[in-house]
Amino acid sequence: MTTVIMTHNVENMETWLKGGHNRKPAFDKFCKSYKVFKHTEDDRVSIVCEGADIATMKQVLGSAETTKAKEADTVVDPIDVFVEIEGGD
């Protein structure tokens, strides 16, 4: 398990923010906790997942259920994923 950062744009920030109830059950399947950050100058968000299981994350994010939630919450693909690496300091 590791730290993962996912970044993507949203078409409508208000709609996206209201969709938090959609994200929580999905994220609970593959990470211990997460925090959401908004870019200061545009409608881009970054989600930092602590204790992420990468294999489960790929399954959850690739599911039909998640695809529907992304459409409803105005997520703009691609979702960039950054994985913490050991020894990078």
Side-chain angles (χ1 to χ4, degrees):
M1 302 232 182
T2 190
T3 301
V4 173
I5 301 171
M6 294 180 282
T7 301
H8 62 78
N9 290 335
V10 296
E11 288 179 13
N12 184 302
M13 185 58 71
E14 186 176 326
T15 299
W16 188 85
L17 288 170
K18 289 179 183 177
H21 65 282
N22 293 329
R23 284 183 292 282
K24 182 162 177 32
F27 280 49
D28 285 349
K29 292 176 184 175
F30 64 83
C31 67
K32 292 181 180 180
S33 65
Y34 65 94
K35 292 182 181 180
V36 178
F37 298 83
K38 181 192 177 300
H39 194 279
T40 58
E41 297 182 19
D42 58 29
D43 285 343
R44 188 170 8 143
V45 296
S46 292
I47 303 168
V48 179
C49 297
E50 298 290 344
D53 178 320
I54 305 298
T56 304
M57 178 187 78
K58 288 178 180 181
Q59 290 175 346
V60 170
L61 294 180
S63 72
E65 182 180 329
T66 299
T67 298
K68 285 183 189 178
K70 285 169 42 181
E71 290 172 5
D73 294 342
T74 73
V75 171
V76 177
D77 282 330
I79 298 175
D80 294 322
V81 179
F82 302 87
V83 179
E84 180 181 25
I85 57 172
E86 298 296 324
D89 50 349

